[in-house]
Amino acid sequence: MVNYNEEDGLNNSYTYSLNQDRNGFLWIGSNNGMFRFDGKEFKQFSNKNGLKNIDVLSCIPLPNGEIFVAPFLNDFAYLKNGKIINSDSNSELKKMSFKHNPGYYIDGSSLYLHSSYNPANIYMYRDEKVNRIPLAVKTDSSDVYYVFGLSMSDKMLYLSNQERKENIQAYNITTKKKTACNILVDKNTSIFRKQDIFVFKNKRTIDIYKLYNKFFFKKIKSYTTQEDIHLIVLDNNYRLWLCLEEGGVLYFKQPVVENSELSNPVKMMESYIINDVLVDKDNNTWFSTRNNGLFFIADRFFKNYIQLPIKNNSSYITAIAKNERGIYLGYNEARSGIYRNGKVTDLVFEKNIKTEHKAIFSEGNTVIFGLTWNLFQYNTKLKDKKVFKGFVLKNIVPYYPGAILLCTSDGLIEYNYHKALFRDVLSKERIYTALPYAKDSLFAGNFKDLYKVNTVTKRKTLFLEGYYFTDVKQLSHHLYAGATNLNGIILFDNSKVIRKITENMGLPTGQIKKLEIESSNVFWASTNYGLSRIELKGPDIQINNFTQTDGLPSNVVAGCTISGDTIYIGTSKGLGILSIKNLMSQKKFINKKVIINSVVVGGKEIFDTRQPLTGQTPDNNIIFNVSFPDFSSQGKISYRYKIEGLSDGWQTGNSQKISFYALPPGSYTFKIFGIGYNGKRSYSFTEVHFEIIPKFWQTWWFKLIMIGLGTASLFILITAYFQKKRNKKLETLYYEKKIAELELQAIKAQINPHFIYNCLNSIQFLLYKKDYLETENYLETFAQMIRKTLHYSEKTFMPIKEETEYLSLYLDMEKLRLKDLFEYSITISKNVNENWVVPSLLIQPFVENAIKHGITGLRDRKGNIQITFDHTGTSLCVIIEDNGIGIGSGKKISADSFGVKLSQKRIETFRQLFETHIILEICDLYEKEQRPGTQIKLYIKPYENQNTSMHH
């Protein structure tokens, strides 16, 4: 049962009459205007929309699509093409005036209204016009006649005298004559009519008559209630509903036209005052109430749980099992139920204990109820019970004849219920489910993995990792199905996972509670979103989902069990008993089509989609306002649509407002399906044609003129293009010149006078010592260094291999000059290709700076310089690290490091010219790692200039 109220958009206190129009929309009268419900949204019509009286008693759908609005007393109005027309807009409505709320009668396209007491006129409303038919009902001024039936085909109006007991009068509205009918009616008797069936209510007595030959009434049914009645309803199936003054409604399941006595009624909705009952075109039932909104009961649910009630069947079921002696129910408390022969018998273990049932096992006369903390063994024949405490139970699994497996938080325990003996199978392990699959082997699952367990050696082996199994069942030889807490259903054999069944394949959720096997290729899955039947058909899988719409008491299903064609379902609102055959007979399509309420095109909203729909640039947007009045889907409605002429692809969405913007000129067809419960769609699409008319600049002749103008302008564009290329070439030459200038600066930075001066001093010192061999080695290294510097300064990029050779030469020379004051190492990571290139002469200034400012001043230790080339995944990282005196606080290098400054300038130039992004980081190792030295990192990201070949 679904309750619609303010939270759903039904903003009122009282809901009055209910009606359904030809499109299937529900119309609700209320004390806050009129509402239309399309199964997904409530649309309100109030004083803001034109109602002069918002206390609407009836909304009367007419065959031409209008909705006539009958408020409390006068101020009538009607809805046409989405607009409320009141008496200010149509003065015809002012002709109707009543002292009492009128009754109404529809005949063809005409609506007839008359006062319920001593009517002086009958008003006929048709096509926005009102005509008056005068009456002369009263013959005595003291008479008060109650009018309860109008038949325009017979021209008869039926009256009963409210002041004295007399026969019913049949009044001919043409001849103005009365004819006494055959039955005598007490005063203050209220009468309800539907076609030729009349229901008389006098106090608590209900008499049902059928009318023959205009004047003869024959009693066909009678019933006396124990409570006062305030409303009588005969639904479309001629079933009787009696709404009680103190709350609730009595429902009689046999139609009153059948030749049988009225059965005992079913009482429902006892907590609510019912103002109206409607059985819609799909046999769903609706109740309007006082202060509690609107209630909806789907057809299948109603048939299974209202017409065939089970006493004491509303408890929250958390476990279910069966044997040949009955169905056993475990609740969310220390109480169970046994279902037999249409009745649930309660079985109380501990009073007022809220511990819930986890599982139930039954065999013969033995039933074992597993609660969270206790185990109860019950003998159905002897009516005795045994209690076992000290378990934190998770599940019960059949083991071998006479024994079960208890899955607990402390391990897996074997229990022989004939001998009342317990034996540990697996200790110190939280087990949620288990399944024996061989003589000495079983599956055991904890909250994240499934193990194979040898029951003899007690050894467990990890089998399936990462699955929290809540239930495992065997389908056939070496084929198993596992219900998981998050991953749907897993099919596996003794060695591996074979298949996963998930939400993408049709399951309503990935959280599965229990599995029940129907056959080797069919099983059922219980979830918090209903019940699913899964059938394995070779490589294919068919999934059928069932919810409250199909008759389940609730969508929260703890488990189920099967006996023949009957499936017993344990839910949060009691036991469901359904026929599998009837469940599987559900239709593949919904016998409805999408309703296009209006179309906004060209800035204008059009309600009659039969007229031509045209738009024109710039008003070439179109909006479709649609509804799919499938109430059984309970708001879970979406739409699948496309525009032929624009795209062949179908789109899916949930919005009832479907918009398309800036459509090009052309003729289009909008097609749309409704998608409701369980993904079922409407049996056919709804379509509407429309056209976007082109403006003059979208016509062929205008396009031809534009082509001519374009051709004439082509020469100018080509000239401008080549001029731009020439300018680009000049700009390139400019940058090449700038690069050359920077390269010259790099040469100057490398062969600076200070460097050469240091080298010459070293040579002079060696000559002074007459160490001619070392002087010769030093001069040779110095010459090679000068030649390579000149060579690489002419290149923009150089390979890593050559860069390391150059750095080694430079460091060797510095070692000679400084008398082996330091050691060095150059490392290239295996992730780095030696043929990758880097900007030439970029690294040497940083190495020179490490020697000059870091190593030279050391006295207490030998210097060490490490150069590393590594690849971080997105960048080449070059690290220069020394163990020198450091750079002090901050991350700035010495101010007189001219080579570093020049390198920073070159880094910026490379970024501008070649999109080579180089990031420089300098830090003091003492501040970072509490050890002396300086670390320099250069992050070089690849660039897209193919001429550089730097792609990795």
Side-chain angles (χ1 to χ4, degrees):
M1 183 180 297
V2 181
N3 179 217
Y4 297 103
N5 49 43
E6 293 182 7
E7 295 177 358
D8 305 291
L10 188 60
N11 303 313
N12 60 65
S13 298
Y14 280 52
T15 50
Y16 300 125
S17 68
L18 302 172
N19 282 291
Q20 190 175 27
D21 67 15
R22 62 183 183 181
N23 290 323
F25 294 127
L26 194 70
W27 293 91
I28 306 117
S30 81
N31 65 340
N32 193 22
M34 173 177 69
F35 290 85
R36 187 199 75 182
F37 185 48
D38 63 1
K40 191 168 186 177
E41 293 181 354
F42 287 92
K43 182 176 178 61
Q44 183 179 12
F45 298 88
S46 62
N47 58 328
K48 295 179 181 179
N49 306 96
L51 288 180
K52 298 174 71 175
N53 185 344
I54 63 170
D55 203 6
V56 177
L57 299 181
S58 297
C59 316
I60 308 167
L62 300 179
N64 63 357
E66 293 179 9
I67 306 297
F68 191 86
V69 184
F72 182 71
L73 295 178
N74 303 302
D75 292 321
F76 298 99
Y78 57 93
L79 177 69
K80 184 175 183 178
N81 291 332
K83 184 180 179 181
I84 294 289
I85 309 298
N86 58 31
S87 57
D88 295 336
S89 304
N90 184 354
S91 59
E92 289 284 308
L93 297 174
K94 295 180 179 179
K95 296 179 180 178
M96 295 185 291
S97 180
F98 299 95
K99 294 182 179 179
H100 303 280
N101 293 321
Y104 66 89
Y105 172 81
I106 298 175
D107 182 58
S109 299
S110 300
L111 173 67
Y112 296 88
L113 297 100
H114 57 80
S115 176
S116 299
Y117 296 93
N118 293 335
N121 301 287
I122 295 176
Y123 295 96
M124 182 187 75
Y125 171 84
R126 181 175 182 177
D127 296 330
E128 303 184 83
K129 298 291 184 182
V130 176
N131 292 315
R132 184 175 66 89
I133 302 173
L135 301 176
V137 171
K138 291 181 64 173
T139 54
D140 188 321
S141 59
S142 63
D143 289 333
V144 176
Y145 284 103
Y146 170 64
V147 179
F148 58 87
L150 173 63
S151 174
M152 291 306 298
S153 58
D154 297 327
K155 306 298 181 184
M156 288 293 176
L157 189 67
Y158 292 91
L159 316 170
S160 68
N161 198 316
Q162 295 295 292
E163 295 297 323
R164 59 180 179 270
K165 186 175 182 178
E166 69 175 29
N167 287 57
I168 288 177
Q169 302 291 314
Y171 176 83
N172 190 302
I173 62 176
T174 302
T175 64
K176 309 293 190 291
K177 291 183 178 181
K178 295 178 185 175
T179 303
C181 297
N182 65 307
I183 58 172
L184 196 65
V185 178
D186 288 333
K187 63 180 182 178
N188 297 321
T189 297
S190 60
I191 304 171
F192 172 82
R193 178 189 183 185
K194 185 177 182 68
Q195 301 298 330
D196 58 352
I197 301 297
F198 292 77
V199 182
F200 292 69
K201 179 182 80 72
N202 188 277
K203 297 181 181 178
R204 295 182 176 181
T205 300
I206 301 296
D207 293 313
I208 302 173
Y209 290 85
K210 186 172 182 180
L211 177 64
Y212 295 90
N213 300 323
K214 299 181 186 178
F215 309 114
F216 181 76
F217 287 84
K218 179 182 179 181
K219 183 187 289 188
I220 57 175
K221 299 282 191 302
S222 185
Y223 183 79
T224 300
T225 71
Q226 302 300 314
E227 301 172 80
D228 294 331
I229 302 166
H230 81 93
L231 180 69
I232 298 170
V233 176
L234 272 180
D235 64 28
N236 293 331
N237 300 313
Y238 283 89
R239 292 185 170 92
L240 179 65
W241 301 78
L242 303 179
C243 302
L244 306 175
E245 288 187 359
E246 297 300 322
V249 62
L250 298 179
Y251 167 71
F252 299 82
K253 62 183 180 182
Q254 289 92 357
V256 297
V257 293
E258 289 184 358
N259 294 324
S260 60
E261 291 296 323
L262 286 174
S263 63
N264 290 326
V266 176
K267 187 175 183 180
M268 64 190 78
M269 306 293 292
E270 296 182 44
S271 302
Y272 307 99
I273 303 297
I274 307 299
N275 287 332
D276 197 9
V277 181
L278 172 70
V279 176
D280 65 23
K281 296 176 182 178
D282 297 317
N283 283 325
N284 304 310
T285 304
W286 299 84
F287 301 97
S288 67
T289 69
R290 182 190 304 173
N291 298 321
N292 294 105
L294 203 63
F295 286 87
F296 167 82
I297 305 177
D299 177 39
R300 288 193 179 220
F301 180 90
F302 186 87
K303 288 178 179 176
N304 286 300
Y305 295 96
I306 303 301
Q307 298 191 56
L308 300 172
I310 303 172
K311 293 182 179 179
N312 301 327
N313 183 34
S314 60
S315 297
Y316 196 120
I317 298 174
T318 59
I320 185 171
K322 76 167 178 69
N323 62 19
E324 63 278 5
R325 291 173 173 80
I327 307 296
Y328 304 96
L329 311 174
Y331 302 125
N332 62 342
E333 55 183 313
R335 181 174 64 88
S336 301
I338 303 175
Y339 173 78
R340 279 195 204 97
N341 302 322
K343 183 181 179 181
V344 176
T345 302
D346 283 342
L347 185 62
V348 179
F349 297 119
E350 295 177 290
K351 293 182 179 180
N352 302 320
I353 303 298
K354 294 301 181 182
T355 179
E356 70 175 12
H357 282 73
K358 291 294 186 180
I360 302 174
F361 169 82
S362 63
E363 184 180 60
N365 293 321
T366 300
V367 183
I368 299 175
F369 296 92
L371 283 74
T372 304
W373 305 105
N374 301 321
L375 201 68
F376 291 90
Q377 182 172 330
Y378 181 74
N379 189 300
T380 58
K381 184 177 182 181
L382 302 176
K383 309 296 183 182
D384 67 334
K385 66 180 180 182
K386 298 177 182 178
V387 182
F388 301 96
K389 298 186 177 182
F391 298 102
V392 181
L393 192 70
K394 304 298 180 183
N395 203 351
I396 298 177
V397 177
Y399 195 15
Y400 57 81
I404 57 175
L405 290 171
L406 304 177
C407 303
T408 75
S409 62
D410 296 322
L412 192 62
I413 301 170
E414 174 192 330
Y415 172 54
N416 188 312
Y417 52 84
H418 290 322
K419 300 177 181 179
L421 296 176
F422 293 89
R423 182 180 71 89
D424 285 344
V425 178
L426 187 64
S427 301
K428 297 180 181 179
E429 184 78 43
R430 185 183 292 267
I431 301 297
Y432 287 87
T433 188
L435 177 70
Y437 67 90
K439 182 180 179 181
D440 297 325
S441 301
L442 55 83
F443 294 114
N446 61 18
F447 65 95
K448 63 176 182 177
D449 301 313
L450 187 69
Y451 293 91
K452 287 183 175 181
V453 179
N454 187 299
T455 58
V456 176
T457 65
K458 307 259 183 104
R459 181 182 176 184
K460 68 173 186 177
T461 305
L462 180 62
F463 176 51
L464 296 179
E465 186 176 8
Y467 296 106
Y468 173 6
F469 284 94
T470 56
D471 195 14
V472 179
K473 294 290 174 62
Q474 184 169 5
L475 288 172
S476 59
H477 186 61
H478 296 319
L479 179 61
Y480 311 95
T484 72
N485 193 46
L486 291 174
N487 299 293
I489 298 169
I490 308 297
L491 301 180
F492 59 93
D493 57 18
N494 286 335
S495 60
K496 63 183 181 303
V497 172
I498 296 175
R499 195 163 196 175
K500 298 179 182 179
I501 305 174
T502 63
E503 292 177 72
N504 294 333
M505 302 173 69
L507 286 179
T509 177
Q511 186 181 38
I512 312 298
K513 293 181 178 180
K514 291 290 182 181
L515 299 178
E516 177 69 12
I517 306 303
E518 180 180 332
S519 65
S520 60
N521 63 326
V522 179
F523 58 95
W524 297 73
S526 302
T527 75
N528 283 336
Y529 298 89
L531 192 63
S532 299
R533 182 181 185 269
I534 298 96
E535 183 174 1
L536 307 179
K537 294 184 173 182
D540 298 324
I541 293 178
Q542 179 180 327
I543 299 177
N544 294 92
N545 298 315
F546 307 101
T547 63
Q548 278 185 298
T549 303
D550 301 289
L552 275 67
S554 164
N555 290 338
V556 180
V557 180
C560 65
T561 186
I562 297 172
S563 178
D565 179 57
T566 303
I567 182 166
Y568 299 88
I569 308 163
T571 78
S572 62
K573 293 184 179 179
L575 176 66
I577 306 173
L578 303 174
S579 163
I580 297 176
K581 182 179 179 181
N582 289 342
L583 282 176
M584 296 303 297
S585 67
Q586 59 176 246
K587 297 178 180 178
K588 295 181 179 179
F589 298 96
I590 298 173
N591 192 28
K592 289 180 173 61
K593 294 175 68 175
V594 172
I595 307 299
I596 299 179
N597 301 314
S598 67
V599 180
V600 179
V601 60
K604 181 182 178 182
E605 186 170 16
I606 300 170
F607 292 89
D608 185 3
T609 57
R610 294 171 296 180
Q611 62 177 284
L613 303 175
T614 58
Q616 188 177 43
T617 305
D619 293 327
N620 54 348
N621 302 329
I622 188 163
I623 301 172
F624 298 93
N625 295 306
V626 300
S627 294
F628 187 48
D630 180 49
F631 301 118
S632 296
S633 295
Q634 298 179 17
K636 297 177 181 178
I637 291 169
S638 57
Y639 301 93
R640 192 164 184 258
Y641 54 88
K642 71 174 180 177
I643 290 187
E644 287 187 349
L646 180 68
S647 172
D648 292 330
W650 291 86
Q651 302 179 56
T652 302
N654 297 321
S655 176
Q656 294 183 275
K657 183 177 288 186
I658 301 172
S659 305
F660 298 91
Y661 298 103
L663 291 174
S667 181
Y668 302 102
T669 300
F670 175 68
K671 292 185 175 181
I672 183 168
F673 287 97
I675 302 174
Y677 160 67
N678 276 347
K680 295 179 184 177
R681 75 177 196 188
S682 53
Y683 74 94
S684 179
F685 58 78
T686 300
E687 68 177 17
V688 61
H689 302 277
F690 65 96
E691 185 178 4
I692 302 297
I693 301 173
K695 284 287 189 180
F696 72 90
W697 60 79
Q698 296 173 314
T699 57
W700 66 269
W701 53 266
F702 182 80
K703 292 178 181 178
L704 186 62
I705 292 174
M706 293 304 296
I707 291 172
L709 293 174
T711 304
S713 303
L714 185 60
F715 178 75
I716 299 172
L717 295 174
I718 293 174
T719 303
Y721 171 74
F722 283 108
Q723 182 63 39
K724 186 176 180 180
K725 286 195 69 175
R726 283 193 294 271
N727 293 339
K728 185 69 175 178
K729 188 173 182 180
L730 291 173
E731 185 179 353
T732 303
L733 291 174
Y734 167 76
Y735 280 117
E736 288 176 353
K737 181 180 178 181
K738 186 175 180 180
I739 292 170
E741 292 174 353
L742 291 172
E743 288 172 347
L744 288 175
Q745 292 178 17
I747 294 170
K748 294 175 183 178
Q750 298 300 317
I751 313 176
N752 58 74
H754 181 69
F755 170 70
I756 296 173
Y757 176 76
N758 288 339
C759 293
L760 292 177
N761 276 344
S762 298
I763 294 169
Q764 184 182 15
F765 178 74
L766 293 172
L767 289 173
Y768 177 78
K769 289 177 59 178
K770 296 182 181 182
D771 191 347
Y772 302 114
L773 180 60
E774 190 170 348
T775 301
E776 183 180 354
N777 291 338
Y778 191 88
L779 283 172
E780 183 179 353
T781 304
F782 179 66
Q784 291 179 15
M785 182 68 188
I786 293 298
R787 283 195 300 271
K788 285 187 178 291
T789 301
L790 290 171
H791 173 70
Y792 291 132
S793 65
E794 295 177 354
K795 296 183 177 182
T796 306
F797 296 92
M798 62 191 295
I800 292 175
K801 181 179 180 181
E802 295 182 11
E803 175 71 26
T804 57
E805 292 174 356
Y806 176 76
L807 293 174
S808 296
L809 187 62
Y810 170 70
L811 287 165
D812 287 340
M813 186 183 70
E814 289 292 86
K815 281 185 67 177
L816 284 172
R817 185 174 70 84
L818 297 174
K819 299 297 182 180
D820 289 330
L821 184 64
F822 67 90
E823 297 292 338
Y824 75 88
S825 66
I826 301 176
T827 305
I828 301 176
S829 170
K830 64 179 181 180
N831 297 326
V832 176
N833 189 333
E834 292 184 348
N835 294 320
W836 292 349
V837 296
V838 295
S840 65
L841 304 179
L842 179 66
I843 302 170
Q844 188 273 338
F846 297 103
V847 177
E848 179 182 351
N849 197 75
I851 297 172
K852 179 179 179 181
H853 297 286
I855 300 300
T856 304
L858 292 178
R859 296 291 181 270
D860 59 340
R861 63 185 179 276
K862 191 171 185 177
N864 186 20
I865 296 175
Q866 297 179 4
I867 304 170
T868 305
F869 293 83
D870 198 3
H871 187 244
T872 64
T874 59
S875 304
L876 178 69
C877 179
V878 182
I879 304 173
I880 303 104
E881 185 178 303
D882 65 69
N883 66 338
I885 60 176
I887 59 173
S889 61
K891 292 189 178 181
K892 296 182 179 179
I893 204 157
S894 190
D896 61 347
S897 180
F898 178 75
V900 174
K901 289 182 179 179
L902 182 59
S903 296
Q904 290 174 330
K905 186 175 180 181
R906 293 181 70 220
I907 286 171
E908 179 61 24
T909 304
F910 272 99
R911 186 190 66 79
Q912 293 177 354
L913 296 180
F914 304 106
E915 296 184 5
T916 301
H917 297 277
I918 303 174
I919 300 171
L920 173 62
E921 292 183 0
I922 304 174
C923 69
D924 193 318
L925 289 175
Y926 188 81
E927 295 180 359
K928 182 179 180 182
E929 299 178 7
Q930 300 299 311
R931 60 187 178 92
T934 303
Q935 186 185 71
I936 297 171
K937 287 187 178 180
L938 291 166
Y939 293 96
I940 306 173
K941 293 187 177 181
Y943 49 86
E944 298 300 327
N945 186 348
Q946 294 184 5
N947 294 329
T948 67
S949 302
M950 190 173 175
H951 295 278
H952 47 80

